[in-house]
Amino acid sequence: MSGRGDRGDPILVVGSVALDEISTPVGHRDEVVGGAAVHFSAAASLFGEVQLVGVVGDDYPWGELDFLRRRGADLAGLERRPGSSFRWGGVYHQNMNTRDTTHTELGVFADFQPTIPEAFRAAPWVFLGNIDPSLQLAVVDQIESPILVGCDTMNYWIDRMPDRLSEVISRIEMITLNEEEAKQLSGDPNLTRAARWIQRRGPRHVVVKKGEHGAVLFTDDEIFFTPGYPLENVVDPTGAGDAFAGGLFGSLARSGSVTASGLRRAVVYGCTLGSFACEGFGASRMVALTMAEVEERVQSFRELTRFDIPSELAEA
């Protein structure tokens, strides 16, 4: 546990705020509050103040974000513009590991140019959600002296804007991406070599998300792996990756520094928050989630891989 009390330093997150239409084997929901910045904030706000920067249209159900305000999130950087909010639709298949995008309507997000409020620019922890690398660079240019800057990305940006993405990667300390994206970005089918390739281009810390199978942390010469939490009922995995990042950064912000043990702990918290995100449509499960529930599940993670070695083998 951190020696800094219950609440961590402010975390700045810049990303999409959306309305989703989601179909899974469990059911169908429309007008679901989502987007990377919302899912990240829903997790990170449990640990401390979140400063959210994004844009929505005048059709956005503003009151649905009240749960973030109640936790102390600062939404001064969330612009409201005339027009339609960013909308996304997806259909998940039986195993929940694959999905088909049914529609993407950018709305006011198409012209989004992130302007970081003056009060947010000194945030010690900064996370760049999965948006256009040019916008991620614009954020990096506006922030002051953070402890850690991390970003997420996806195969679309790897394909379409490799040079811009390379520039982003050269200017950050941490990147989160899934296994397929890590291999695509590096051009190497071996995950360990792929992660080391990415490290050589900027980020000291590479976190590879493996969905229901957990996550792998590559930092310096060390590798740390944690399994995914074995859920019996998965409702909607849409926000799991962003909630993972929120738990990861929330844990680091609560500790106030970046250490080897703190990074390992943060990855476990990330997997914990990602697992909770899967238990409801959109951010619905996160609305009522408490830190007591989070800490209880973190303890369960410790039990997942704890085992004893007989003394005669330990001495061999």
Side-chain angles (χ1 to χ4, degrees), residues 232-246:
E232 291 189 22
N233 298 300
V234 176
V235 175
D236 171 22
T238 303
D242 300 306
F244 169 89

Side-chain angles (χ1 to χ4, degrees), residues 20-34 38-39 64 67 88 90-92 96 233-240 276-287:
D20 295 338
E21 181 180 359
I22 301 167
S23 293
T24 78
V26 177
H28 177 88
R29 297 290 187 278
D30 200 1
E31 300 288 301
V32 175
V33 169
V38 170
H39 291 300
E64 294 293 323
F67 79 100
W88 173 85
V91 176
Y92 287 87
M96 296 281 203
N233 298 300
V234 176
V235 175
D236 171 22
T238 303
F276 278 115
C278 293
E279 294 182 349
F281 280 99
S284 61
R285 177 65 179 94
M286 309 297 283
V287 172

Side-chain angles (χ1 to χ4, degrees), residues 64-98:
E64 294 293 323
L65 301 180
D66 283 348
F67 79 100
L68 295 177
R69 297 184 185 89
R70 289 194 297 269
R71 290 181 185 164
D74 191 335
L75 305 187
L78 181 57
E79 302 176 52
R80 295 185 74 177
R81 296 180 183 173
S84 298
S85 299
F86 176 35
R87 292 172 179 268
W88 173 85
V91 176
Y92 287 87
H93 302 290
Q94 193 63 41
N95 64 6
M96 296 281 203
N97 291 322
T98 58

Side-chain angles (χ1 to χ4, degrees), residues 43 46-47 214 226-229 231 240 243-244 247-248 265-279 286 289-302 304:
L46 288 163
F47 297 83
T226 184
Y229 189 77
L231 292 173
F244 169 89
L248 176 75
R265 182 171 59 246
V267 171
V268 174
Y269 274 98
C271 286
T272 300
L273 270 298
S275 70
F276 278 115
C278 293
E279 294 182 349
M286 309 297 283
L289 185 64
T290 66
M291 276 307 297
E293 291 177 290
V294 173
E295 299 294 0
E296 181 179 2
R297 186 163 291 184
V298 167
Q299 293 301 318
S300 297
F301 264 95
R302 296 185 68 178
L304 284 175

Side-chain angles (χ1 to χ4, degrees), residues 15-17 55 84-86 106-112 130-132 135:
S16 60
V17 180
V55 63
S84 298
S85 299
F86 176 35
L106 294 178
V108 295
F109 191 63
D111 299 316
F112 178 49
N130 177 19
I131 55 177
D132 186 322
L135 302 184

